[in-house]
Amino acid sequence: MTISAPSLATGLIRGWVRIYTIGLRDDERDSRRAEIESDLWEQQNADDPAGPSRIATAAHMVARWALGAPADVLWSLERSSDARQAANSDKGRKNMTAIPQTDGSAGAAILATTGRVLSVVIEPQSYLNVVYVLLAFPLSIAYFVILTTGLSAGLSLVIVWIGVPILFLTFAISAAFGWLERFLAQYLLRVEISPRPSEAKSAGEIPAESGLGDSERLLIRALRGFKARVSDRTVWTGLLYLFLKFPIGIVSFVVAIFLLSITLACLAAPFLYQLDGGLSIGIGMGEIWEIDTLGEALLLSAAGIPLLIISLHILNGLAFVSGRIAKVMLGRLG
Amino acid sequence: MRRKAGKLIPIELSILDTGMALRQSGVGEWHGYLLAREIGERRGAKLLTAYGTLYKALGRMERAGLLESRWEDPLAAADDGRPRRRLYQVTLAGAAALAVEPRAAQAVPKLMVRGANV
């Protein structure tokens, strides 16, 4: 008995539909399965003598399945989520197990996890996180150089008083850098950071009857303001964060460049392997695999897809950690 | 990704546009495969709309009131020896939503409807 290509394709698609409809409401599950069944029959039995061959029809069906698979997963997650919300609002928050626990609940959980793993590629937030991670290195270098220069010059010159305004300026610049970091965390990482209230005590007014001249009063006010800034803990936590950003930025940048360069090289293999010098995979000085045919390049390119998914998850993790550190050190506590 | 409430995405525009064109050609109700084939022919595309993309959009549009559907009589399907079809049609709300879209001003190309049997 021979099995035709369209029958194989139909079996594949039917199996896929059964998987992603596990755990849904009976009416939605049955409706989706029946609708796809109808579409499969219609495509195979289209009344067209000049139509494509059976193998072409099967390939077409598989292509329609593959290109729509992410949408199937998202649809299943949406329907599951809507059903859960509807059941919770009907029965109230006391009954948290409103969805009947059928033998499909494990399948729905697996599908939900798979969706979360795969959706990282289509989520815009993934790419905003990559931008944040890549920006961390050049920014952290700028912070380190400017603040180190300002603090060392200011501290060494404080004995001749010129160091005081230098330190004052350095603290002001670090506050501006702190504002920039909160801005980047908010708009790239979507992390809300409410700025900490300054703990600086008021400089206080100098009584008019003190007998001091205007310039003397100005100097005393400036010194009191400087003392208030120096005693403000938020200034030092902000400075500490900006210095910590340096090693964090280096690690993040190195990891990002390593992962992205390998991933992009794999994905672009079909375009790269014919260039002068060719394309090969190796460790150290040894070559393991020389890519010199289109088939090998396509295989390497396909391997780039799971690599992309893994890379984006790792970079999302780095961005998450960076965002948490920024929130703790730059944000309001509690 | 967020979009403005009421804003139609390209696949939804194609579905409404093709649905209205089918109605003008005398096909008041259509099933998913017929719609996918007509969209493909209007676009000159060799590959029909993917299952997941098409049926997700149809379901979303039905919940939004832009389409309505019914399952055909099981006896009619049994007589033809095929699975039951889910038949859709564009609602008044769907036609109105399409009318306010700028692309609705484009001329509808002549349709080739084969084997509709609806």
Side-chain angles (χ1 to χ4, degrees):
Chain A
M1 185 180 79
T2 56
I3 300 175
S4 67
S7 300
L8 281 174
T10 299
L12 167 69
I13 296 164
R14 255 189 212 137
W16 167 248
V17 175
R18 262 150 186 72
I19 289 171
Y20 77 76
T21 53
I22 289 173
L24 297 182
R25 272 192 355 233
D26 289 353
D27 58 336
E28 284 190 323
R29 180 196 64 212
D30 295 343
S31 178
R32 173 54 74 96
R33 290 178 182 179
E35 201 160 10
I36 298 295
E37 199 64 39
S38 168
D39 194 309
L40 291 172
W41 187 93
E42 299 288 346
Q43 186 163 6
Q44 291 181 74
N45 294 277
D47 184 21
D48 182 4
S53 66
R54 294 180 70 73
I55 290 180
T57 298
H60 195 169
M61 291 162 70
V62 170
R64 287 184 73 197
W65 159 71
L67 292 172
D72 288 329
V73 172
L74 291 173
W75 176 84
S76 177
L77 292 172
E78 277 172 23
R79 302 322 304 147
S80 298
S81 172
D82 286 354
R84 227 172 278 123
Q85 283 178 9
N88 284 339
S89 64
D90 284 347
K91 294 194 177 178
R93 294 230 168 253
K94 286 180 186 175
N95 184 3
M96 294 301 292
T97 57
I99 301 296
Q101 296 298 313
T102 66
D103 58 350
S105 59
I110 291 170
L111 203 62
T113 304
T114 305
R116 274 197 295 274
V117 169
L118 298 179
S119 65
V120 71
V121 179
I122 59 174
E123 282 291 322
Q125 187 59 48
S126 300
Y127 302 98
L128 290 174
N129 289 345
V130 170
V131 170
Y132 181 89
V133 168
L134 290 175
L135 274 178
F137 181 57
L139 284 176
S140 67
I141 289 181
Y143 301 154
F144 187 81
V145 168
I146 292 170
L147 295 177
T148 306
T149 305
L151 286 174
S152 57
L155 287 170
S156 60
L157 292 172
V158 76
I159 198 164
V160 292
W161 295 106
I162 190 67
V164 172
I166 291 175
L167 285 175
F168 213 30
L169 183 62
T170 304
F171 291 145
I173 291 173
S174 91
F177 286 160
W179 177 89
L180 176 62
E181 283 296 308
R182 277 192 296 275
F183 174 84
L184 290 175
Q186 182 165 336
Y187 286 97
L188 291 181
L189 303 183
R190 302 286 190 254
V191 172
E192 286 293 333
I193 305 178
S194 305
R196 283 190 186 176
S198 173
E199 296 178 8
K201 296 181 179 52
S202 167
E205 284 298 321
I206 302 169
E209 58 273 14
S210 64
L212 296 170
D214 286 344
S215 55
E216 287 163 328
R217 289 156 70 89
L218 191 63
L219 180 62
I220 290 173
R221 194 175 289 139
L223 284 173
R224 283 182 178 179
F226 176 73
K227 184 183 172 189
R229 293 289 287 170
V230 169
S231 58
D232 184 355
R233 280 193 304 171
T234 61
V235 168
W236 297 104
T237 51
L239 267 174
L240 181 61
Y241 170 81
L242 293 169
F243 278 108
L244 260 182
K245 186 89 177 171
F246 188 52
I248 293 172
I250 290 175
V251 168
S252 301
F253 190 77
V254 167
V255 170
I257 292 298
F258 174 74
L259 290 173
L260 292 176
S261 59
I262 292 178
T263 301
L264 292 174
C266 287
L267 290 172
F271 305 103
L272 297 177
Y273 84 100
Q274 286 186 314
L275 296 177
D276 286 343
L279 187 64
S280 63
I281 297 175
I283 297 176
M285 297 297 289
E287 277 183 3
I288 295 175
W289 184 17
E290 181 86 29
I291 312 295
D292 47 21
T293 65
L294 180 60
E296 289 175 343
L298 288 172
L299 195 61
L300 186 61
S301 187
I305 297 172
L307 210 53
L308 175 66
I309 293 170
I310 293 169
S311 299
L312 287 176
H313 276 293
I314 291 174
L315 294 175
N316 281 347
L318 278 176
F320 174 77
V321 170
S322 297
R324 291 301 299 173
I325 293 174
K327 193 176 177 77
V328 166
M329 298 192 74
L330 297 177
R332 188 188 298 262
L333 295 173
Chain B
M1 280 179 277
R2 295 191 200 104
R3 53 166 156 153
K4 274 166 64 172
K7 179 78 180 160
L8 297 175
I9 59 176
I11 180 66
E12 292 169 350
L13 277 173
S14 288
I15 290 171
L16 289 176
D17 209 12
T18 307
M20 291 302 292
L22 279 166
R23 178 181 289 175
Q24 287 168 14
S25 301
V27 181
E29 289 180 311
W30 30 268
H31 51 87
Y33 174 73
L34 177 62
L35 180 76
R37 206 180 63 190
E38 293 305 322
I39 290 176
E41 285 179 359
R42 284 160 67 89
R43 285 180 184 167
K46 289 185 178 172
L47 187 61
L48 302 188
T49 311
Y51 303 114
T53 310
L54 178 66
Y55 292 104
K56 184 169 183 272
L58 289 172
R60 181 173 62 238
M61 293 171 75
E62 188 172 12
R63 286 191 298 280
L66 303 176
L67 302 174
E68 57 189 14
S69 72
R70 66 176 182 89
W71 285 97
E72 71 171 342
D73 182 8
L75 292 177
D79 284 345
D80 289 342
R82 55 174 173 73
R84 271 204 310 167
R85 291 167 174 164
R86 187 171 183 174
L87 301 172
Y88 293 87
Q89 61 177 329
V90 180
T91 62
L92 284 173
L98 180 65
V100 301
E101 288 288 332
R103 279 206 271 168
Q106 293 174 19
V108 173
K110 185 180 174 192
L111 281 177
M112 292 180 290
V113 180
R114 299 188 300 271
N117 289 331
V118 175

